[in-house]
Amino acid sequence: MLHRSFPRPRPGSAARHVRAGAPLLPLSALLAGVLLVAACGKGAKAPVSPTPAPEPTPVASAIRFEDVTKESGVAFVHVNGAAGKKWMPETMGSGVAAFDADGDGKVDLLFVNGEYWPGDPRGAKGEPTLAFYRNETEPGGPIRFADATRESGLAVSLYGMGAAVADLDGDGAPDLFVSGLNGNRLFLNDGKGRFRDATRGSGLEATGWATSAAFADVDGDGVLDLFVGRYVDWTPKTDLFCSLDGRTKSYCTPERYPGVSSRLFKGLGRGRFRDVTKESGVENPLGKALGVAVRDVDGDGREDIAVSNDTSPNNLFRNVKTVGGVALFTDVAIEAGIAVGEDGRARGAMGIAFGDTKNDGGVSLAVGNFSNEMWSFWSAGRDGDFFADESMVSGLGRTTLLPLTFGVQFADFDLDGVLDLVGVDGHVETTVQAVQPTVTYRQPPLLFRGLGGGRFADVSAQAGPAFAEAFVGRGLAVADLDGDGRPDLVFTENGGPARVLRNVTETRNGSVALVLRGAAPNRMAIGARVVSTVKGRSRVDEVSGGDGYLSASERTVRVGLGSAPSLDEVTVRWPDGKTGEAKGLAPGRYVWEEGREPVAVR
């Protein structure tokens, strides 16, 4: 039986355990949940889904990364405004977005920054801003970035949290949404990597503590909608005194503040939105959202939304139907088995990500949790009805017990055709080790190699010095920064420098990278469902409009081939429901326009 052993402090008191003694759910309760789910009727499924495949036999390679931050030119240092007041937002930021801003085929980086609090003399010298780095890497050369913040129009100050990326006006260029503590920002791209602030009049000016966000066409009208996670009802005026020793102030925990509902905005086109939170069924006043992930969980052609809440039950909003132009959702997290942990209690859930880890057309869900709460890892079949808790049998449980994990992400780092899993860690309380010697404030990241069948092996110790370095990890983005076919990593640190890690895994495995281009206005094909088959083994991927923690990874679908000479077959269900098919794709990068054949590019 697991307990959170880091004391969650309460106002004006010494630290104490706040979650001790909960019994495990009885088997009868679990069976009842399964029977309840089985009794629920399901709609028609999309025709695009793989047939059951034999257990994968991945080609083993030692996954390794090299820290190239200094030579890459990325010099971003996050500002959280900490000045001794111990205000809660200081502990949470920030995110990073990896996307091709100027259409040159190279992945650029946007780092979200914070601000100094009012009255802080450091702010008199100028507030920090967002940071944008343009990718100038040459083919076959080292990773190189140039600071292009001012020329991009993104030298904007706000107490920012995260970012989401999508083409909102149908011009083929990715636009940006940045969430924040004191209001959000919307930036439209002119196609050359120059952005203008289009927040005013967009309908997204909402205040409150916004966190992770995700784009998706949830109502099927071809225009992207936006789900914005929100955390707790905190302001400087409502700040509470919390303490670990009864005397000295510490950072408060989410249990001390009321939750607030996340929001769903219906896209009206050309960067305009309308709040449909209440009428859509996603309103949850008790929510404390930190992570958001979108995927068509049950394969019915409608995008569902999973939300990881910190100390409040998680949500799985099942997209049921569209009425009057608004998508209607039902929260099925309890029936699906992902609302709480195996002890029946809500966890301190942070980042969240979906992936087909068994190469069977089903879906797994990974969630990074608070210290002394192992990562959550659930898996469901192709109908997405019930998620079995496989945190322990997956090989993740014991290793992930002590760390406090924020960003998590699936990717095939060794290109063997099986998804691996990475997470970044770091505590929220600087003095945690004084009350719990086994838990540190700075913590090294974790890397798990996928073994197939939803099983993993901890390979952090073999992944290079970058995975031995402890820091206060928060955001995480996966992207091929140098164009060599191997996914690289970008980490952010709360109150510290970002890290750029180059994938230097020595492998003969090849990959096929698919850059999908859908019909306007959803030119980034967000929501497209890809079924790829290699040597009789299939996997389902989606072009997601948001997942992880406060961050946006490159939206290229990458299929590791292992020892296979080519990708046998790949089928795409485009966001508008049309399908496309290709066979025999050799290793390389392809741009695939809807209605056309894939075209090989550099």
Side-chain angles (χ1 to χ4, degrees), residues 48 529-531 569-574 577-582 592-598:
V48 182
R529 190 175 177 89
V530 179
V531 180
E569 183 179 6
V570 58
T571 303
V572 177
R573 185 187 69 193
W574 297 96
K578 298 178 181 178
T579 60
E581 182 179 298
W592 195 346
E593 296 271 354
E594 181 174 354
R596 299 183 180 180
E597 297 291 325

Side-chain angles (χ1 to χ4, degrees), residues 111-383:
F111 293 95
V112 181
N113 214 345
E115 287 183 307
Y116 299 114
W117 298 111
D120 191 321
R122 292 175 294 179
K125 299 179 181 179
E127 290 288 352
T129 71
L130 304 173
F132 178 73
Y133 286 85
R134 196 177 307 281
N135 194 331
E136 296 185 346
T137 304
E138 295 297 330
I143 295 175
R144 292 282 188 268
F145 285 92
D147 189 336
T149 305
R150 293 198 176 279
E151 62 190 77
S152 70
L154 293 172
V156 176
S157 296
L158 75 157
Y159 203 102
M161 284 285 142
V165 180
D167 180 6
L168 299 178
D169 49 13
D171 64 355
D175 307 304
L176 283 169
F177 172 79
V178 178
S179 63
L181 177 68
N182 54 356
N184 307 312
R185 300 290 190 277
L186 179 68
F187 299 98
L188 296 183
N189 188 348
D190 68 356
K192 298 179 181 179
R194 296 190 296 259
F195 296 83
R196 67 176 179 87
D197 192 329
T199 311
R200 185 184 298 273
S202 67
L204 301 177
E205 303 92 335
T207 57
W209 189 343
T211 55
S212 295
F215 287 102
D217 179 11
V218 296
D219 52 25
D221 64 355
V223 180
L224 290 172
D225 313 298
L226 177 64
F227 186 94
V228 180
R230 297 202 305 163
Y231 194 31
V232 297
D233 186 8
W234 178 95
T235 68
K237 292 183 178 180
T238 61
D239 183 68
L240 300 173
F241 180 86
C242 298
S243 179
L244 294 177
D245 57 14
R247 301 182 304 274
T248 307
K249 186 178 183 183
S250 65
Y251 286 110
C252 285
T253 65
E255 290 135 323
R256 309 317 309 160
Y257 292 96
V260 292
S261 178
S262 298
R263 293 185 175 181
L264 178 64
F265 297 90
K266 175 180 171 60
L268 304 176
R270 303 193 67 80
R272 294 176 298 113
F273 295 84
R274 177 170 69 89
D275 192 333
V276 294
T277 304
K278 290 185 178 180
E279 56 196 289
S280 68
V282 302
E283 187 174 34
N284 176 23
L286 301 178
K288 300 179 180 181
L290 286 181
V292 177
V294 177
R295 189 178 177 105
D296 179 6
V297 172
D298 55 2
D300 65 354
R302 307 180 64 87
E303 294 293 283
D304 308 302
I305 302 172
V307 182
S308 51
N309 291 301
D310 188 3
T311 72
S312 178
N314 300 323
N315 307 114
L316 179 56
F317 293 113
R318 181 66 51 81
N319 193 337
V320 179
K321 58 183 176 180
T322 298
V323 176
V326 176
L328 302 184
F329 293 84
T330 300
D331 188 359
V332 298
I334 294 177
E335 299 95 318
I338 71 164
V340 295
E342 86 293 332
D343 59 358
R345 292 180 177 269
R347 291 175 171 175
M350 312 296 176
I352 185 170
F354 283 112
D356 181 357
T357 65
K358 299 184 179 182
N359 296 75
D360 63 356
V363 62
S364 296
L365 181 64
V367 177
N369 291 317
F370 200 82
S371 180
N372 285 289
E373 296 174 342
M374 71 178 77
W375 292 8
S376 298
F377 184 79
W378 295 285
S379 290
R382 281 179 286 171
D383 59 7

Side-chain angles (χ1 to χ4, degrees), residues 367-436:
V367 177
N369 291 317
F370 200 82
S371 180
N372 285 289
E373 296 174 342
M374 71 178 77
W375 292 8
S376 298
F377 184 79
W378 295 285
S379 290
R382 281 179 286 171
D383 59 7
D385 278 336
F386 183 75
F387 285 75
D389 191 333
E390 299 179 348
S391 303
M392 287 300 295
V393 298
S394 66
L396 300 173
R398 297 186 184 279
T399 304
T400 63
L401 181 59
L402 284 182
L404 197 170
T405 301
F406 280 85
V408 293
Q409 199 61 252
F410 290 106
D412 184 0
F413 295 112
D414 55 3
L415 309 181
D416 64 354
V418 178
L419 291 177
D420 311 303
L421 182 58
V422 63
V424 289
D425 313 314
H427 215 279
V428 295
E429 177 54 58
T430 57
T431 60
V432 60
Q433 202 163 14
V435 296
Q436 189 175 359

